[in-house]
Amino acid sequence: MVDVLADEIEAFARAVGPDPDETLVEMDEFARREGFPHVGPEVGAVLRLLARLTDAERIFEFGSGYGYSAYWFAEALPDDGEIVLTEVDEDELEMAREYMAAGGYDDLARYELGDALETIETYDGPFDAVLIDHQKHRYVDAFEAVRSKVPQGGVVVADNAVTAGIIEFDKLREILEEEADPDALEANEHTRGIADYLARVREDPEFETVLLPLGEGIAVSYRVA
């Protein structure tokens, strides 16, 4: 597993960024204690900033876990805003509900138990901000399902765009940098899923995509047209 940022730079970014509230601190402590994967405060702060910059009123998450990213997003929503959390694990979704309620964001949240790709089909747009953070081999499917529901000026963010325990970074880099024949290069489905996603959004003329080396890497795609 590759380190996206050196530990001292990551700590510095955390020190410069906004301070998490007590509930977020508790959520971070839970993640460390249980080894639960989450985007972390550096990425969380970026998600909140993106929601502010897009004047987000509605947000959709493909994969919400125990609500960490949703909590950061919710802080930027207006009182009549909405964020849709999706999760296949009922216990994790219940934890998300408890944490969102603790922060005073329960009224903004809609909790959907089940497959996010099925859930998105039941919602009309627009969604001003979208987070894709579920099964890596389904990232492209998620983008295709939601892209028409993202308005001009909206953003789609994909987590794990650089690394995760299941992603083979060297092969991911080779595929995208075309150092090897992509069809001939053997890679696991998670690595291939991230590579396919990054290629898809990079080639989409209606989105402009940048990679931010924070957390485990996030790809931010801004709808320009």
Side-chain angles (χ1 to χ4, degrees), residues 6 23 29 37 46 58 65 99 110 121 124 143 154 168 183 193 198:
T23 302
E29 290 174 350
V46 171
R58 298 184 76 214
Y99 281 126
R110 298 187 68 170
E121 297 302 326
D124 294 326
F143 180 72
E168 305 161 303
D183 294 327
L198 293 175

Side-chain angles (χ1 to χ4, degrees), residues 99-224:
Y99 281 126
M100 295 290 279
Y105 304 124
D106 193 46
D107 290 344
L108 301 176
R110 298 187 68 170
Y111 306 94
E112 297 285 358
L113 179 64
D115 190 326
L117 285 170
E118 295 178 4
T119 300
I120 189 61
E121 297 302 326
T122 68
Y123 279 85
D124 294 326
F127 287 106
D128 308 295
V130 175
L131 175 66
I132 302 178
D133 192 14
H134 62 158
Q135 300 103 322
K136 312 313 168 193
H137 65 284
R138 304 177 80 195
Y139 270 31
V140 171
D141 293 338
F143 180 72
E144 299 295 357
V146 80
R147 71 178 300 282
S148 65
K149 301 178 183 183
V150 178
Q152 184 175 358
V155 294
V156 179
V157 182
D159 191 31
N160 303 120
V162 174
T163 188
I166 54 178
I167 295 173
E168 305 161 303
F169 177 70
D170 288 342
K171 291 184 178 180
L172 175 64
R173 183 179 57 81
E174 287 183 50
I175 293 171
L176 290 173
E177 293 180 357
E178 298 181 353
E179 294 181 2
D181 180 357
D183 294 327
L185 185 64
E186 293 185 6
N188 66 39
E189 65 175 355
H190 315 291
T191 303
R192 179 68 65 180
I194 295 296
D196 289 346
Y197 177 83
L198 293 175
R200 172 67 183 87
V201 294
R202 184 175 60 179
E203 294 168 359
D204 194 314
E206 296 186 3
F207 285 82
E208 182 175 320
T209 297
V210 296
L211 183 70
L212 301 184
L214 293 171
E216 294 183 324
I218 56 173
V220 180
S221 300
Y222 176 83
R223 183 147 207 167
V224 295

